[in-house]
């Protein structure tokens, strides 16, 4: 009889939700009660909305328990392990029974995330047991040539998952074509988009898949050195990568004459980013690896010709590399079965915002946005009205509800004015103000602009000033047109992707939510009741009991009224701090 | 823009510096004469002292031949580097998109009011430094803040202030303890 396994999900988000304490508790119970089960660690399976997660695998099947705390852990062990009765009400996924969350996994195809949540990321044997390092072994054993590897990647139709969508095979071909003694391969793990965390999840959950992808890439382009440029904000990912690299060296997947392929020497190291969004751009990233300020360079020459230390360099992002071993093992055709004509395979999305089931999902290209939000994500929190979805972070845009039938592929998303980006999908409901969202992203890009190009440096600042004044009630006629004019100038006058795409959030919100801008500027109203300075607070006389709580708390003494008599807000004195609204127990303050 | 000018008043050393420059030596040994060593050197220095003291920059420049202007340029470019000492606990409040949509602003405002510091500021007792950051990658728990290695999710202003109060209470206890220990020793 196989030993029962108890596996705790210890990704960053799991730990933040308290999985570390659950693990300690399970360990304590195991020792204290002398129970016979194997306690193991894994990473994130993508069900972030149910963290912390604990999976029990016994001879009857697998049972994933959600929202486990120390108390529930006690109960689950007592009932499931000791008395052999699974605790049905906490199960969120199982191969023996149906649960109400099965829809979350239906429609998902896990290729990049194939091992996340299934293996211990700190154990190379578990990666190998699930077919890991078979792709590079296949290349070595079957003596697959460099050109054939590149052709496989070309045929698979894989495009850069970092957001650009450039065909990966083509990139490899260019880097391969350039003759040089020294060549470099870089993994871009500087996941800077606020609202995106799929690369972190892959690095934490399955670091070896990225290493194997890079090793295959190095073989294809002829690189001998690799760099993983990882955000310093991801300490757990860096720790697990370091462990993975050491294990890969021990097993001979890194080093000299790898797997007996003569002359194939390759090793890599991690370079910690120092916190600059612009370093996600490949030439800025190279500058940063070289120890300079992360400022983009002019292209051409492209990195494939002159990159790191002026040598031919290939850069792909984490998710792209994670796909590579699967493609080599299963064949390009198998990969190209998924997706649309021009966008093949799958894409991982970080589903966040006002969504019921937030987390990581991997879906085949061609699925509609609506299906992701309603079928997988379970709809909007509190069943409020779905307003828009933000794709592509600060470089992307907002797609309104009426375009939610848009399918997910590079070209269809681009046609809306947004971009696919790295895969952040932030869902917004009727309480989100679109002008404020545009301002939020502009504030981000303005701060993150490296300052090299005047239009990006000064232009984003001017746009931010205009947007700020609109949200504060000082918007003027002509502001929208001025924003548009500046937007196109910044797009045309910037060297790198940051500036070229920075105006996208503004342009898409103007395109789809112009009425909201106009309400702010002309009527001095925020339809989503979000922009504080544009709100009016009023006491509903019939509801007010005269309890005096609001009066006592008002910092400007704008509220007057006698005890047990309806109160009144003096609009001249009101600074719209919202204190009275949050304190009133009788819902007698209305905002409009 | 990434580079923010630093006021003379702010950059002037606030306290008598107690930096033990000897600690840097192994770092210099490790990275001297290596390509692209500037950022790892600065990162290592900051790991030692919590910030990059001016005298450390001078020493690095003397020992490795890197230009001070380059170092200063890099240190002011990247968000990670600090040129001033920080508090014992760095409170990072996430202002990523998901947190923004879930009202991270209110959390920040409440914390700023409670600690009486602005973004990037340190409390006079040197216990807390408040920072807003772009994204901590725990979007499904938004709004989130991180203190040390610990992440706190699904916050509101009140909950966040409670967390700070709890840490402060422990700190005061520790202080009192060490004070009484010192007294009893003497």
């Amino acid at each position: 009889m196989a030993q029962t396994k108890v596996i705790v999900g210890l990704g960053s988000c799991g730990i933040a939700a308290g999985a570390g304490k659950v693990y300690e508790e399970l360990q304590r119970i195991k020792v204290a009660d002398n129970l016979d089960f194997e306690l193991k660690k894994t990473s994130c399976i993508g069900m972030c909305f149910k963290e912390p997660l604990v999976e029990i695998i016994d001879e009857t099947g697998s049972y994933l328990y959600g929202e486990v705390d120390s108390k529930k852990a006690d109960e689950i062990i007592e009932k499931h392990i000791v008395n052999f009765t699974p605790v049905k009400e906490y199960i969120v996924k199982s191969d023996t029974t149906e649960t109400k969350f099965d829809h979350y996994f239906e429609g998902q195809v896990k290729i990049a995330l194939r091992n996340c949540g299934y293996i211990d990321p700190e154990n190379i044997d578990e990666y190998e047991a699930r077919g890991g390092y078979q792709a590079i072994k296949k290349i070595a054993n079957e003596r697959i040539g460099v050109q054939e590897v590149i052709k496989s990647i070309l045929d698979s139709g894989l495009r850069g998952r970092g957001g650009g969508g450039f065909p990966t095979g083509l990139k490899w071909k260019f880097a391969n074509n350039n003759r040089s003694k020294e060549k470099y391969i870089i993994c871009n793990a500087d996941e800077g988009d606020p609202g995106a965390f799929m690369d972190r999840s892959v690095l934490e959950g399955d670091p070896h898949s990225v290493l194997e992808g890079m090793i295959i890439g190095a073989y294809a382009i002829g690189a001998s050195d690799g760099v993983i440029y990882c955000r310093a904000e991801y300490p757990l990912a860096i720790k697990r990568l370091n462990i993975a690299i050491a294990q890969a060296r021990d097993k001979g997947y890194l080093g000299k004459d790898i797997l007996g392929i003569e002359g194939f020497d390759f090793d890599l190291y991690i370079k910690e980013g120092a916190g600059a969004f612009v370093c996600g751009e490949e030439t800025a990233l190279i500058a940063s690896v070289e120890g300079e300020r992360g400022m983009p360079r002019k292209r051409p020459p492209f990195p494939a010709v002159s990159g790191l230390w002026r040598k031919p360099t290939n850069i792909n992002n984490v998710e792209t590399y994670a796909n590579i071993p699967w493609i080599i093992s299963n064949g390009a055709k198998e990969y190209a079965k998924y997706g649309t004509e021009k966008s093949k395979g799958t894409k991982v999305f970080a589903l966040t915002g006002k969504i019921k089931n937030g987390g990581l999902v991997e879906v085949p290209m061609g699925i509609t946005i609506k299906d992701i939000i309603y079928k997988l994500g379970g709809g909007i929190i509190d069943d409020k009205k779905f307003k828009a979805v933000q794709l592509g972070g600060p470089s992307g845009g907002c797609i309104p509800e009426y375009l939610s039938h848009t399918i997910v592929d590079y070209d269809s998303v681009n046609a809306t004015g947004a971009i696919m980006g790295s895969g952040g999908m932030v869902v917004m409901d009727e309480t989100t103000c679109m002008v404020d969202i545009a301002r939020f992203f502009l504030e981000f890009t303005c701060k993150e602009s490296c300052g090299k190009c005047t239009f990006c440096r000064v232009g984003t600042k001017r746009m931010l000033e205009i947007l700020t004044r609109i949200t504060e009630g000082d918007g003027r006629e002509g502001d929208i047109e001025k924003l548009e004019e500046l937007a196109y100038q910044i797009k045309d006058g910037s060297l790198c992707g940051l500036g070229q795409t920075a105006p996208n959030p503004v342009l898409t919100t103007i395109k789809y939510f112009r009425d909201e801008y106009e309400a702010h500027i002309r009527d001095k109203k925020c339809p989503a009741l979000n922009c504080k300075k544009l709100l009016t607070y009023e006491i509903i006389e019939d509801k007010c009991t005269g309890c005096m709580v609001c009066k006592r708390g008002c910092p400007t003494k704008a509220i007057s009224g006698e005890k047990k008599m309806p109160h009144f807000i003096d609009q001249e004195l009101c600074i719209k701090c919202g204190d009275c609204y949050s304190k009133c127990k009788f819902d007698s303050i209305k905002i409009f | 823009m990434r580079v923010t000018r630093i006021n003379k008043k702010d950059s002037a050393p606030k306290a008598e510096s107690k930096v033990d420059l000897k600690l840097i030596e192994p770092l210099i040994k490790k990275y001297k004469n290596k390509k692209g060593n500037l950022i790892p050197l600065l990162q290592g220095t900051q790991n030692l002292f919590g910030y990059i003291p001016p005298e450390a920059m001078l020493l690095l420049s003397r020992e490795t031949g890197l230009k001070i202007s380059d170092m200063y340029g890099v240190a002011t470019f990247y968000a990670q580097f600090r040129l001033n000492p920080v508090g014992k606990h760095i409170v990072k409040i996430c202002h990523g998109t998901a947190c923004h949509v879930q009202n991270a602003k209110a959390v920040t405002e409440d914390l700023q009011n409670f600690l009486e510091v602005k973004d990037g500021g340190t409390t006079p007792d040197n216990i807390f430094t408040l920072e807003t950051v772009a994204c901590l990658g725990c979007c499904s728990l938004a709004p989130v803040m991180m203190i040390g290695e610990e992440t706190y999710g699904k916050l509101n202003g009140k909950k966040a202030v409670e967390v700070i109060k709890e840490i402060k209470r422990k700190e005061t206890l520790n202080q009192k303890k060490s004070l009484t220990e010192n007294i009893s020793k003497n």
Side-chain angles (χ1 to χ4, degrees):
Chain A
M1 194 180 84
Q3 196 186 23
T4 303
K5 287 179 193 152
V6 178
I7 309 164
V8 186
L10 287 164
S12 272
C13 40
I15 293 172
K21 288 190 190 103
V22 172
Y23 185 84
E24 281 168 19
E25 176 66 13
L26 288 169
Q27 205 157 28
R28 193 191 63 78
I29 307 173
K30 183 177 148 76
V31 177
D33 298 354
N34 197 17
L35 293 171
D36 180 35
F37 63 81
E38 191 185 354
L39 186 59
K40 292 170 64 105
K41 295 175 186 177
T42 185
S43 194
C44 177
I45 198 170
M47 248 184 153
C48 303
F49 62 103
K50 283 286 168 196
E51 293 280 9
L53 295 162
V54 175
E55 190 176 22
I56 296 184
I57 302 175
D58 57 22
E59 66 260 43
T60 62
S62 78
Y63 305 85
L64 186 68
Y65 291 101
E67 292 178 290
V68 182
D69 53 24
S70 306
K71 218 176 122 202
K72 275 190 194 169
D74 278 349
E75 186 186 341
I76 292 165
I77 294 296
E78 172 73 30
K79 290 188 179 160
H80 192 146
I81 303 280
V82 182
N83 297 322
F84 306 104
T85 24
V87 197
K88 273 213 167 117
E89 61 262 42
Y90 304 148
I91 294 175
V92 292
K93 185 179 185 266
S94 170
D95 53 10
T96 58
T97 55
E98 279 182 19
T99 75
K100 58 180 180 175
F101 299 106
D102 284 345
H103 59 84
Y104 190 72
F105 291 95
E106 277 163 25
Q108 286 203 55
V109 177
K110 300 224 174 185
I111 294 177
L113 301 178
R114 60 193 176 277
N115 296 322
C116 287
Y118 296 100
I119 61 167
D120 178 353
E122 295 178 13
N123 187 342
I124 191 169
D125 298 335
E126 292 195 16
Y127 176 68
E128 286 178 322
R130 281 178 68 93
Y133 289 112
Q134 287 304 318
I136 186 70
K137 279 184 184 156
K138 185 176 167 188
I139 290 172
N141 295 341
E142 296 174 20
R143 294 175 191 275
I144 301 174
V146 168
Q147 293 305 330
E148 218 176 310
V149 171
I150 294 175
K151 193 174 173 296
S152 273
I153 303 301
L154 268 175
D155 290 347
S156 73
L158 176 66
R159 292 168 69 171
R161 293 290 188 251
F166 192 81
T168 307
L170 216 52
K171 234 180 185 177
W172 287 16
K173 203 173 160 186
F174 291 148
N176 174 275
N177 283 347
N178 288 295
R179 297 274 153 242
S180 168
K181 254 187 173 171
E182 274 172 65
K183 283 186 190 178
Y184 294 96
I185 189 158
I186 297 179
C187 173
N188 183 349
D190 189 46
E191 189 172 51
D193 280 12
F197 55 93
M198 44 267 139
D199 290 350
R200 193 209 71 205
S201 214
V202 173
L203 293 173
E204 284 178 5
D206 193 14
H208 285 288
S209 69
V210 180
L211 295 190
E212 191 179 359
M214 285 184 79
I215 295 166
I216 296 167
Y219 173 73
I221 69 160
S224 55
D225 287 290
V227 181
I228 301 177
Y229 187 89
C230 186
R231 280 185 87 184
E233 285 93 333
Y234 290 170
L236 188 62
I238 292 172
K239 183 186 146 206
R240 290 187 178 159
L241 269 173
N242 271 320
I243 295 173
I245 291 172
Q247 289 172 341
R249 275 189 199 131
D250 281 349
K251 290 226 172 187
Y253 297 122
L254 292 171
K256 292 211 178 299
D257 296 323
I258 295 168
L259 297 176
I261 305 172
E262 209 174 305
F264 179 36
D265 305 340
F266 178 65
D267 208 336
L268 47 75
Y269 68 96
I270 299 171
K271 174 96 194 169
E272 275 183 49
F277 176 66
V278 69
C279 289
E281 202 276 343
E282 53 184 19
T283 58
L285 188 152
I286 288 171
S288 183
V289 175
E290 292 175 354
E292 291 172 24
R293 294 161 67 135
M295 286 175 147
R297 294 172 188 157
K298 208 173 73 185
R299 295 184 303 180
F302 286 92
V305 180
S306 170
L308 186 59
W309 311 115
R310 305 287 179 274
K311 303 291 178 203
T313 303
N314 176 68
I315 302 185
N316 291 122
N317 103 314
V318 172
E319 193 187 331
T320 314
Y321 284 124
N323 277 305
I324 302 284
W326 193 96
I327 295 171
I328 299 294
S329 294
N330 296 278
K333 255 196 198 152
E334 197 61 26
Y335 190 79
K337 263 199 335 210
Y338 300 106
T340 61
E341 197 199 332
K342 285 188 176 162
S343 305
K344 299 291 183 199
T346 59
K347 175 80 194 93
V348 184
F349 287 99
L351 201 52
T352 60
K354 309 270 175 106
I355 185 103
K356 276 187 188 155
N357 306 339
L360 273 193
V361 295
E362 182 168 359
V363 289
M365 300 270 193
I367 188 173
T368 65
I369 291 173
K370 206 176 196 162
D371 279 352
I372 297 181
I373 292 172
Y374 283 98
K375 285 198 180 151
L376 276 68
I380 312 295
I381 293 177
D382 296 335
D383 291 314
K384 285 197 176 149
K385 199 171 170 291
F386 167 41
K387 188 175 193 174
V389 59
Q390 213 282 343
L391 273 185
S395 310
C398 294
I399 300 173
E401 191 266 342
Y402 71 87
L403 287 179
S404 63
H405 58 270
T406 305
I407 59 165
V408 171
D409 74 4
Y410 289 96
D411 309 280
S412 309
V413 173
N414 283 353
T416 66
I419 63 161
M420 184 89 108
S422 56
M425 195 179 254
V426 185
V427 179
M428 294 159 188
D429 68 6
E430 56 197 335
T431 62
T432 315
C433 169
M434 302 316 279
V435 187
D436 178 60
I437 284 295
R439 194 198 57 77
F440 165 76
F441 281 117
L442 245 289
E443 194 179 1
F444 180 80
T445 33
C446 177
K447 213 161 136 193
E448 293 295 333
S449 166
C450 78
K452 186 168 186 163
C453 309
T454 316
F455 281 93
C456 176
R457 181 182 70 237
V458 185
T460 53
K461 179 104 181 140
R462 293 290 97 84
M463 282 180 86
L464 177 62
E465 282 166 3
I466 296 173
L467 286 164
T468 307
R469 81 168 178 242
I470 294 176
T471 55
E472 290 182 348
D474 297 321
R476 303 169 202 157
E477 282 300 326
D479 271 354
I480 300 179
E481 290 71 20
K482 201 169 272 170
L483 279 173
E484 286 174 321
E485 194 189 332
L486 276 166
Y488 289 113
Q489 286 170 347
I490 295 169
K491 270 175 169 288
D492 290 342
S494 300
L495 197 59
C496 82
L498 191 148
Q500 287 162 5
T501 59
N504 283 350
V506 182
L507 287 174
T508 51
T509 47
I510 291 178
K511 187 171 167 191
Y512 299 119
F513 301 96
R514 202 183 178 99
D515 53 329
E516 273 193 43
Y517 279 83
E518 285 169 351
H520 280 76
I521 295 170
R522 289 183 193 149
D523 312 330
K524 310 290 177 206
K525 285 281 157 221
C526 173
L529 301 179
N530 179 71
C531 301
K532 270 195 170 171
K533 291 207 170 162
L534 298 179
L535 303 179
T536 310
Y537 290 85
E538 231 176 58
I539 294 175
I540 309 164
E541 274 187 41
D542 298 346
K543 282 190 173 177
C544 180
T545 61
C547 71
M548 317 254 306
V549 165
C550 59
K551 187 179 166 182
R552 275 198 294 271
C554 181
T556 56
K557 300 200 166 28
I559 302 176
S560 56
E562 295 299 317
K563 202 173 177 183
K564 294 197 176 163
M565 296 292 279
H567 285 32
F568 172 77
I569 300 176
D570 185 342
Q571 297 302 333
E572 295 272 303
L573 291 174
C574 176
I575 53 161
K576 295 154 203 213
C577 66
D579 186 74
C580 52
Y581 180 77
S582 62
K583 279 189 181 151
C584 182
K585 287 177 193 150
F586 307 99
D587 286 333
S588 62
I589 291 168
K590 71 172 172 187
I591 312 175
F592 59 97
Chain B
M1 203 184 24
R2 293 213 55 82
V3 182
T4 38
R5 270 198 196 93
I6 296 163
N7 284 332
K8 249 195 175 152
K9 211 173 78 192
D10 288 348
S11 63
K14 278 183 185 137
E16 205 44 40
S17 90
K18 288 179 217 142
V19 181
D20 183 7
L21 289 176
K22 275 205 187 108
L23 293 171
I24 308 183
E25 272 166 20
L27 204 68
I28 293 173
K29 231 181 232 164
K30 189 173 172 195
Y31 288 108
K32 199 174 176 176
N33 299 328
K34 285 208 175 137
K35 313 196 260 193
N37 58 3
L38 205 163
I39 292 176
L41 276 171
L42 291 181
Q43 282 172 333
T45 310
Q46 180 155 301
N47 281 344
L48 289 172
F49 307 113
Y51 74 111
I52 303 167
E55 50 271 48
M57 243 192 235
L58 287 168
L59 179 78
L60 286 176
S61 167
R62 250 196 335 263
E63 296 291 321
T64 62
L66 290 163
K67 288 196 193 98
I68 287 221
S69 57
D70 285 343
M71 269 190 239
Y72 190 73
V74 166
T76 49
F77 184 85
Y78 293 99
Q80 188 189 23
F81 297 120
R82 301 190 192 87
L83 297 171
N84 280 316
V86 281
K88 191 171 170 194
H89 301 278
I90 297 170
V91 184
K92 291 182 183 171
I93 310 169
C94 181
H95 274 228
T97 322
C99 289
H100 178 79
V101 174
Q102 306 276 36
N103 214 358
K105 219 165 139 188
V107 177
T108 313
E109 279 171 10
D110 282 1
L111 284 181
Q112 283 177 342
N113 288 338
F114 178 72
L115 293 171
E116 294 178 351
V117 288
K118 283 186 193 150
D119 184 14
T122 304
T123 52
D125 55 7
N126 279 327
I127 294 185
F128 295 104
T129 297
L130 195 67
E131 275 180 1
T132 57
V133 294
C135 188
L136 293 170
C138 298
C139 307
S140 43
L141 299 170
V144 181
M145 70 173 175
M146 197 170 172
I147 303 175
E149 302 259 293
E150 190 93 14
T151 313
Y152 303 86
K154 297 191 176 164
L155 291 173
N156 53 37
K158 214 175 147 190
K159 269 195 206 167
V161 170
E162 282 305 316
V163 173
I164 298 286
K165 273 187 184 162
E166 182 59 31
I167 295 175
K168 209 169 173 176
R169 205 179 55 82
K170 276 184 196 157
E171 285 295 332
T172 342
L173 262 176
N174 282 345
Q175 265 174 11
K176 270 188 194 156
K177 224 176 165 184
S178 59
L179 211 72
T180 41
E181 270 169 22
N182 278 344
I183 292 169
S184 59
K185 258 187 215 164
N186 294 336

